[in-house]
C-alpha cells in the first residue's frame, strides 16, 4: 500500500504514529503539507508538490488543521475527484467543522442531540442559556476557518466571562445544554469504519473556560453498552465521516451526541486506554486501498 498523509508537520504526534504504524505494516508512506500541494485541472488533471507531479497513491488520510481548512479541503476534494479513497472526505470534514450544520445533520438523521440554540450575536446570551434549560452550557463560536473555540460555563461567573469573550470576537455562536449531574457521563468514542476502537470518560475541571473540552480534562478508559457503540458509529456516518471522535452525554433521559470531530488526536486517547489506536486506522486505510 502507498499511503499519503496530509498534515502540516510530520512531527505531530498523531501524524507520526500513523506513519510509523503504516511503515511497520510494510506500507510506503509520504507526508505532505496540504498548503504545498498544487492542484491542476483540465486535460492533464493531477496533483503537484514543489512543482513536481505527485506519483499515484492508494489512499489519503487527511489531517487538515482548521487554520488551513479552505485550501486543505480543496486538496482533499482534488484527490477524491481523481478517484483516490480518503479517510475522511472533504464534505464530511467540512460538515463536522460547521458545528451547527453537524448538529442539524445529526438531528435530521435521528441521532439525539442536547437542546441547542444558534444566534448571530451574544448580546442576549443569558436569554439563550435559559432557552436551553439553564447552566451548565457549552458555548461554541462558529468560526469554521479557524480553530474552534468551545467554552464550558458551569456558573454565572464563568458565563459573564464567556459573554465578554464572545462579544469582543463578534462571531455567531451556538449555546448548547451541557448536562453534568450525578450518574451522568461525558464520553468520547473513537470511531473507525464500522467499529468503536476506544471509549473514554472526560472530566473537565469545574468553573474553567476551555478552548477545547479535552484540554485540562481527565480521561479515563471505560466500558459502555453496545447500544452506545451503535449510536457513535451512526453519528459518524450521518456527518459523513469514516474516522471520527464522537462526543456524547450519557444522561438520565438517554445518550445525546453533542459533537463530532473529523481529526481526532490520538495522544491522550492512547495514554488513557493503553491501546495502539493508530493500528485500526491504518487497517481501515488498507481496506479502502484494497477495495
Amino acid at each position: 500500500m502507498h499511503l499519503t498523509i496530509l498534515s502540516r508537520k510530520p512531527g505531530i504526534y498523531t501524524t507520526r504514529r500513523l506513519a510509523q504504524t503504516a511503515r511497520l505494516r510494510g506500507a510506503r508512506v509520504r507526508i505532505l503539507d496540504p498548503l504545498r500541494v498544487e492542484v491542476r485541472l483540465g486535460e492533464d488533471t493531477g496533483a503537484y508538490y514543489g512543482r513536481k507531479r505527485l506519483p499515484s497513491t492508494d489512499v489519503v488520510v487527511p489531517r487538515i488543521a482548521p487554520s488551513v481548512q479552505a485550501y486543505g479541503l480543496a486538496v482533499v476534494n482534488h484527490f477524491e475527484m481523481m478517484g483516490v479513497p480518503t479517510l475522511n472526505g472533504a464534505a464530511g470534514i467540512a460538515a463536522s467543522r460547521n458545528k451547527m450544520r453537524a448538529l442539524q445533520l445529526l438531528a435530521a438523521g435521528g441521532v439525539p442531540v442536547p437542546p441547542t440554540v444558534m444566534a448571530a450575536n451574544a448580546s442576549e446570551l443569558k436569554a439563550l442559556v435559559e432557552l436551553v434549560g439553564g447552566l451548565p452550557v457549552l458555548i461554541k463560536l462558529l468560526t469554521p476557518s479557524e480553530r474552534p473555540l468551545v467554552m464550558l460555563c458551569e456558573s454565572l461567573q464563568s458565563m459573564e466571562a464567556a459573554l465578554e469573550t464572545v462579544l469582543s470576537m463578534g462571531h455567531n455562536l451556538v449555546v448548547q445544554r451541557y448536562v453534568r449531574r450525578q450518574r451522568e457521563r461525558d464520553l468520547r468514542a473513537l470511531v473507525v469504519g464500522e467499529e468503536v476502537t476506544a471509549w473514554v470518560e472526560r472530566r473537565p475541571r469545574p468553573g474553567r473556560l476551555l478552548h477545547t473540552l479535552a484540554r485540562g480534562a481527565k480521561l479515563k478508559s471505560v466500558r459502555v453498552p453496545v447500544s452506545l457503540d451503535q449510536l457513535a458509529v451512526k453519528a459518524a456516518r450521518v456527518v459523513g465521516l469514516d474516522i471520527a471522535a464522537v462526543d456524547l452525554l450519557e444522561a438520565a433521559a438517554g445518550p445525546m451526541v453533542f459533537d463530532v470531530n473529523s481529526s481526532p488526536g490520538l495522544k491522550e486517547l492512547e495514554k488513557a486506554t493503553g491501546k495502539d489506536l493508530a493500528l485500526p486506522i491504518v487497517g481501515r486505510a488498507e481496506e479502502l486501498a484494497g477495495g
Side-chain angles (χ1 to χ4, degrees):
M1 178 180 68
H2 190 288
L3 174 68
T4 296
I5 302 174
L6 296 175
S7 177
R8 291 304 311 279
K9 297 178 181 179
I12 296 173
Y13 181 88
T14 301
T15 300
R16 187 174 72 251
R17 287 282 295 112
L18 291 172
Q20 289 172 342
T21 299
R23 287 173 177 136
L24 286 173
R25 292 178 64 83
R28 292 176 296 147
V29 180
R30 66 184 176 203
I31 301 172
L32 304 180
D33 180 349
L35 291 187
R36 295 183 60 196
V37 176
E38 301 148 359
V39 300
R40 179 172 177 174
L41 300 170
E43 294 181 0
D44 191 24
T45 296
Y48 292 75
Y49 199 74
R51 300 293 189 272
K52 295 181 180 179
R53 190 181 184 95
L54 286 170
S56 61
T57 189
D58 296 316
V59 63
V60 171
V61 179
R63 300 288 304 176
I64 304 300
S67 59
V68 299
Q69 179 169 306
Y71 191 80
L73 291 186
V75 171
V76 175
N77 190 62
H78 194 71
F79 279 107
E80 291 181 279
M81 187 180 68
M82 294 191 299
V84 181
T86 61
L87 278 77
N88 297 301
I93 298 171
S96 72
R97 295 279 171 81
N98 184 326
K99 296 306 179 184
M100 195 62 191
R101 175 60 177 156
L103 288 167
Q104 290 171 328
L105 289 172
L106 291 168
V111 176
V113 300
T116 304
V117 176
M118 183 177 71
N121 63 72
S123 59
E124 299 295 331
L125 180 59
K126 291 183 179 180
L128 297 178
V129 169
E130 292 305 315
L131 281 177
V132 299
L135 295 170
V137 295
L138 289 178
I139 299 175
K140 305 178 182 182
L141 297 190
L142 300 181
T143 56
S145 62
E146 302 173 6
R147 184 171 298 279
L149 178 61
V150 180
M151 293 174 285
L152 170 61
C153 298
E154 296 187 295
S155 65
L156 289 174
Q157 182 180 9
S158 62
M159 190 177 72
E160 291 293 343
L163 177 60
E164 293 181 10
T165 300
V166 294
L167 283 176
S168 66
M169 299 184 73
H171 294 297
N172 298 345
L173 73 154
V174 166
V175 178
Q176 194 170 51
R177 177 72 173 142
Y178 185 74
V179 183
R180 290 293 297 173
R181 298 192 182 111
Q182 192 174 10
R183 297 182 182 178
E184 296 176 336
R185 297 191 292 180
D186 171 2
L187 302 172
R188 167 165 285 193
L190 179 63
V191 176
V192 180
E194 296 296 327
E195 298 181 357
V196 176
T197 61
W199 278 101
V200 294
E201 179 180 358
R202 304 189 303 173
R203 296 183 178 179
R205 298 177 185 176
R208 294 194 62 186
L209 298 181
L210 306 175
H211 290 289
T212 68
L213 200 58
R215 184 174 299 173
K218 293 183 178 180
L219 303 185
K220 177 186 176 182
S221 180
V222 293
R223 293 185 177 184
V224 303
V226 174
S227 59
L228 289 189
D229 284 346
Q230 296 169 342
L231 180 60
V233 171
K234 181 179 180 180
R237 289 293 163 271
V238 166
V239 177
L241 298 172
D242 208 44
I243 308 297
V246 177
D247 296 333
L248 57 85
L249 297 170
E250 191 181 31
M256 298 176 288
V257 174
F258 64 90
D259 199 11
V260 180
N261 186 325
S262 57
S263 295
L266 298 183
K267 186 175 183 179
E268 297 303 322
L269 288 173
E270 289 191 331
K271 182 179 179 181
T273 62
K275 294 181 179 180
D276 178 352
L277 298 177
L279 184 59
I281 296 176
V282 172
R284 180 59 180 160
E286 291 172 343
E287 291 176 7
L288 291 184

